[in-house]
């Protein structure tokens, strides 16, 4: 005689099989938001991520791009990842300290000698340890990308020395490490989300801003700023970050495809930054910017001494030195 539970068990098994089949076949849509135009290092990363994901996991994902802050400022988009309203962002490290405080150590001025040093530290133990802090905040940081070294632009006068910065209203990212630096240099730091910056510069509510050549060129800052100082005051990492809610729903092979596509996207972003850096200064000069090409870096570092004391208290001197001396 048929066991009374066997029919129910069969129905359950069939339903479970269909359930897992439909789960296995379901396509995941990844909306990816970023602050800059498609023809920027962020656009390059988003395109590379999409193309590589299609190769690594054909038909498993649909990637939709939302460039030019279409879904809000960087801080808002990271909040959307946490809430599960957005799947992915390419972002600067600017607002990240407000979510993962340990990440702010990478925003310390003059921490890295050059891009090779920064890339090695971010891809090595110090950077990977920071990435491991993201899941506790509802975020999965897939890879460190890059913007380049940040430089100062303004509409008032040429900045050659720290003294020239006195009183300049400089827009900074919403990042306390950067704000401390600009305050210490005697400027008046004005934290502001990126979508408000161009209008702020046009209307004169801020005198200047600071960003790498990748942004200065792709956001056409030469149209709203006359002076550029190649200050290289801080390296600007970028990050490819996914909502943990999205990542956790993926099966293991899809997770690997997402991770590998993001790793490649970060490499492509860095290569684009290298290309831009090679010709950007000539381009902005041709567009009419007056460029201070050499500054006395030691004088900026000396003026920042009180800020360095503050960072040592905040992040630990040993940790900072380990990154500074990373090989
Ligand atoms: O200055 C910023 O806020 C960032 O560097 C930007 C331009 C949004 C790119 O991430």
């Amino acid at each position: 005689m048929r066991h009374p539970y066997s029919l129910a068990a069969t129905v359950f098994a069939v339903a479970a099989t269909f359930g897992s089949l439909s789960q296995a076949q379901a396509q995941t849509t990844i909306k990816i938001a970023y602050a800059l135009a498609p023809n920027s290092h962020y656009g390059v990363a988003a395109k590379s991520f999409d193309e590589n994901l299609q190769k690594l996991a054909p038909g498993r994902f649909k990637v939709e791009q939302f460039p030019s802050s279409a879904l809000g400022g960087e801080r808002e988009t990271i909040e959307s990842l946490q809430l599960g309203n957005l799947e992915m962002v390419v972002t600067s490290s600017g607002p990240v300290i407000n979510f993962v405080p340990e990440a702010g150590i990478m925003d310390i001025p003059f921490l890295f000698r050059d891009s090779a040093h920064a890339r090695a530290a971010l891809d090595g133990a110090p950077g990977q340890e920071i990435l491991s802090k993201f899941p506790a905040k509802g975020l999965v940081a897939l890879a460190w990308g890059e913007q380049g070294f940040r430089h100062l632009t303004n509409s008032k006068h040429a900045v050659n020395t720290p003294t020239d910065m006195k009183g300049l209203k400089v827009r900074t990212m919403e990042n306390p490490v950067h704000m401390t630096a600009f305050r210490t240099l005697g400027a008046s730091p004005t934290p502001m989300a990126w979508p408000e910056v161009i209008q702020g510069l046009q209307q004169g509510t801020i005198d200047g801003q600071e960003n790498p050549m990748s942004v200065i060129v792709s956001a056409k800052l030469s149209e709203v700023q006359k002076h550029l100082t190649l200050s290289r005051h801080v390296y600007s990492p970028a990050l490819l970050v996914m909502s943990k809610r999205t990542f956790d729903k993926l099966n293991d092979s899809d997770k690997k495809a997402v991770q590998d596509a993001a790793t490649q996207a970060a490499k492509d972003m860095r290569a684009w930054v290298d290309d831009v850096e090679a010709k950007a200064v000539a381009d902005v000069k041709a567009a009419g910017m007056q460029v201070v090409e050499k500054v006395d870096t030691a004088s900026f570092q000396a003026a920042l001494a009180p800020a360095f004391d503050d960072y040592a208290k905040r992040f630990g001197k040993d940790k900072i030195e380990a990154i500074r001396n990373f090989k």
Side-chain angles (χ1 to χ4, degrees), residues 35-36 42 74 91-92 147 150 171 173 194 210-211 215:
L36 299 165
Y42 289 178
E74 291 186 328
T91 180
S92 69
Q147 301 215 79
R150 298 179 83 91
R171 176 269 175 176
M173 297 196 286
W194 177 250
E210 45 81 58
N211 253 301
V215 176

Side-chain angles (χ1 to χ4, degrees), residues 78-279:
I78 297 172
E79 281 164 3
S80 297
L81 296 184
Q82 289 182 314
L83 294 169
N85 298 335
L86 177 66
E87 288 75 35
M88 197 162 156
V89 297
V90 185
T91 180
S92 69
S93 60
V96 171
I97 186 173
N98 301 301
F99 299 88
V100 180
E102 295 88 342
I105 196 168
M106 299 300 182
D107 297 317
I108 293 177
F110 300 111
L111 181 65
F112 297 111
R113 289 180 301 280
D114 50 29
S115 305
H117 176 198
R119 292 171 186 179
L122 293 169
D123 295 345
Q128 298 309 301
E129 190 193 329
I130 290 171
L131 298 193
S132 74
K133 311 284 180 201
F134 282 66
K137 309 294 170 161
L139 304 165
V140 177
L142 297 164
W144 289 103
E146 172 177 286
Q147 301 215 79
F149 281 85
R150 298 179 83 91
H151 306 294
L152 180 71
T153 69
N154 84 95
S155 56
K156 294 280 175 192
H157 52 245
V159 170
N160 289 283
T161 65
T163 317
D164 297 330
M165 294 189 61
K166 295 267 172 294
L168 268 189
K169 257 190 271 162
V170 179
R171 176 269 175 176
T172 67
M173 297 196 286
E174 298 163 287
N175 179 305
V177 172
H178 285 198
M179 288 167 67
T180 298
F182 280 89
R183 197 176 301 113
T184 307
L185 288 169
S188 172
T190 311
M192 196 182 264
W194 177 250
E196 295 156 39
V197 173
I198 302 293
Q199 202 180 23
L201 293 171
Q202 276 165 338
Q203 294 179 347
T205 49
I206 42 176
D207 302 322
Q209 66 83 52
E210 45 81 58
N211 253 301
M213 292 315 292
S214 57
V215 176
I216 293 171
V217 169
S218 60
K220 300 196 175 78
L221 288 180
S222 57
E223 290 176 5
V224 285
Q225 294 275 265
K226 176 140 195 231
H227 300 281
L228 164 64
T229 299
L230 299 181
S231 47
R232 291 175 65 84
H233 52 274
V234 66
Y235 176 79
S236 194
L239 282 151
L240 286 101
V241 187
M242 183 168 256
S243 165
K244 187 167 182 303
R245 293 183 193 221
T246 307
F247 193 77
D248 285 351
K249 283 188 207 138
L250 303 178
N251 65 36
D252 286 351
S253 77
D254 285 349
K255 278 184 182 152
K256 184 170 179 336
V258 162
Q259 177 60 67
D260 290 350
T263 304
Q264 186 55 47
K267 281 190 189 143
D268 292 342
M269 189 187 324
R270 287 173 176 174
W272 194 91
V273 168
D274 284 343
D275 283 355
V276 165
E277 297 262 341
K279 52 183 175 16

